[in-house]
Amino acid sequence: MISRRELLRNALTLAPVAGGAAFFASMPRWLEAALASQSSTIQDLLRTAPKARYWTTFALAGSDCSKCHAPGENLTKPHTHTPTTVRCLLCAQGCTIKAGGRGKCRARMNVNGELRSLVYGRPLAIHVDPIEKKPFYNFLPGSDAFSLGTAGCPLRCKFCQNWTLSQVAPEDNDTQYAAPGAIVQAAVSERSPVIAFTYNEPTVFTEYMLDIAREAKKRAVRSVIVSCGFMNEAPLAEMCDVLDAIKIDLKGFSEDFYRKVSAAELKPVLRSIKQVAQRKRHLEIVNLMVPTLNDDKASVQGLVDWVAGEVGPDVPVHFTRFHPDYQLLNLPPTPIATLERAREAAIAKVGNVPDHPGNHTYCPKCGKIVIKRSGFFVDQINLRNGACALCGTKIAGVFA
């Protein structure tokens, strides 16, 4: 039987000619499961694991205690500084990691006092998707997005639909190393104008993502991220320098929901949304409506009011349908009526409900459909130079 390593090597080798991404997209589930049963070793991963970015140590921080200690932490309490302990500064979890340990994302490992990325060059999933599937509705509608993800996530969402990627360690699956240039070449070979970093939380492979995005710019390929928005300000600033569009999942509008359902916090996500908007990067927001957990009227209205007041009415908001998955198999799918009530509270999109009127993009002035969709596919575009073809009103988005 051909190994997963050999399969991936062949796919990446043939990608410039035959389209490796198309192969992944058409892989039978039984074969995908069989190949996934093989695993890498930490030694395999460490051979190609580069030094990570956005971390510090006691020695590097010097006298700036805030670099290593959380805000509000009692610094008068006696404590010792271990030279090989590092503090990760990539996301809001702020993990303190001892030598040989990892952060909550499982993707970054402390190797003798140096933080290394175990997922650099190690994609676990590669597909070509409609960009509407991300979902991006007002960014190059109708385009294909060469999409990839790795292992790992800083969150623990009980409803995660990609938990077989996000909630595993990098060594749980065998992976073939793929350099940033190979990914870009594969996207070009597939004639995909966009590379999407998605499936798991791309923040955990920030170094890999940024290197791919920079290579992609040289080939006139754009880059987008599908994110939980839990990264810190400095990494996000660099992402805004390089990426062309950012979609953030605003999973709920209460700290209680974030703590209990995602093992995270709401405040850093709101900060990230505002930061992206201030940088004038194309931004779209998604709220997965989970029955009984985040679909009450007060939460929805609070979310809508916050978005309108803090980032403006031009940012597309998607209310999407929950389907039972992972640890929330006990809950029913979101009633369509719930999504429609949310849509009435704002000019919003309805997701995961094929052929619903909320799938379309409408002109805010004349109310006519400017982008008509069937599921994830675009049927008709009534735009002229980024404006409504019927009344001439400018439509917020990136259309060329």
Side-chain angles (χ1 to χ4, degrees), residues 67-115:
K67 290 283 185 67
C68 295
H69 294 275
E73 187 175 342
N74 183 7
L75 300 182
T76 61
K77 184 179 179 180
H79 60 280
T80 58
H81 294 100
T82 305
T84 56
T85 297
V86 307
R87 181 174 176 83
C88 184
L89 305 176
L90 182 62
C91 86
Q93 294 289 9
C95 298
T96 298
I97 310 169
K98 295 181 180 180
R102 306 191 202 183
K104 292 181 181 179
C105 66
R106 305 182 180 93
R108 291 157 77 85
M109 181 176 183
N110 180 346
V111 182
N112 298 320
E114 179 179 271
L115 197 61

Side-chain angles (χ1 to χ4, degrees), residues 46-67:
L46 286 176
R47 272 192 282 271
T48 57
K51 180 179 176 181
R53 300 182 59 192
Y54 299 109
W55 57 277
T56 192
T57 65
F58 164 65
L60 293 173
S63 60
D64 187 356
C65 296
S66 65
K67 290 283 185 67

